[in-house]
Amino acid sequence: ASHGAWNDYTTTTANATLVEGVDWPADFVGGHYTYAAGAFTRTAAGTAAAATAQQKAIADFTQMVSDAVQIRLDTFALTREYDNILSACTYASSGMPQFAAEGQYCVNARDATFAKLYEIRTDVLAGLRPLPSLEQLLSELPALEWPA
């Protein structure tokens, strides 16, 4: 690679050497930066690639969280032999007091879970907090415990 526009998309921090004292950008990919006067500047293509990568990461994380939360809620409902959380929620209008109470609890638990998820998502998208790990996010959700 040389000074000026980088058109070698195979250039990475693993296979190239820079002048001593010049730092590589953390997200360096050849073709996404220009190098001049001892500094790297991200190109328009690099900015677009970074935005696309961030959108994909958020979409992938959102899907992973959705799947994990659904499994968490369904697994909880299974502890009382409901097929899943949706099935348990349908019992909120049951004429049997125990089933009605359990069904209503599941409706409330599902609502509280998704309200917390939306709060976290809003904060992340607003830049108020970093994207949490899945484990951290799950630990912030309301506890699931059947009423006595």
Side-chain angles (χ1 to χ4, degrees):
S2 64
H3 294 293
W6 290 50
N7 295 318
D8 177 6
Y9 290 87
T10 63
T11 302
T12 68
T13 56
N15 66 13
T17 304
L18 272 185
V19 176
E20 186 176 327
V22 176
D23 293 324
W24 288 97
D27 61 348
F28 179 85
V29 175
H32 290 176
Y33 286 88
T34 58
Y35 179 75
F40 284 97
T41 304
R42 189 181 288 193
T43 64
T47 300
T52 299
Q54 182 178 22
Q55 290 168 351
K56 183 176 179 348
I58 290 171
D60 290 349
F61 185 75
T62 299
Q63 185 61 55
M64 181 176 58
V65 166
S66 178
D67 293 346
V69 167
Q70 191 63 52
I71 290 168
R72 179 179 184 263
L73 291 169
D74 289 344
T75 300
F76 176 72
L78 285 167
T79 65
R80 290 282 170 99
E81 300 183 14
Y82 294 100
D83 294 333
N84 52 45
I85 195 70
L86 179 60
S87 173
C89 289
T90 66
Y91 282 84
S93 61
S94 174
M96 302 280 300
Q98 178 183 348
F99 296 154
E102 290 173 352
Q104 189 58 55
Y105 177 80
C106 286
V107 168
N108 295 343
R110 183 183 62 184
D111 289 352
T113 295
F114 282 99
K116 184 63 178 178
L117 280 175
Y118 293 140
E119 175 189 318
I120 293 168
R121 182 180 71 179
T122 298
D123 288 350
V124 167
L125 293 175
L128 299 176
R129 65 176 288 174
L131 189 65
S133 68
L134 180 60
E135 294 76 22
Q136 181 184 2
L137 187 141
L138 292 174
S139 75
E140 293 182 40
L141 298 179
L144 297 174
E145 297 177 11
W146 290 107

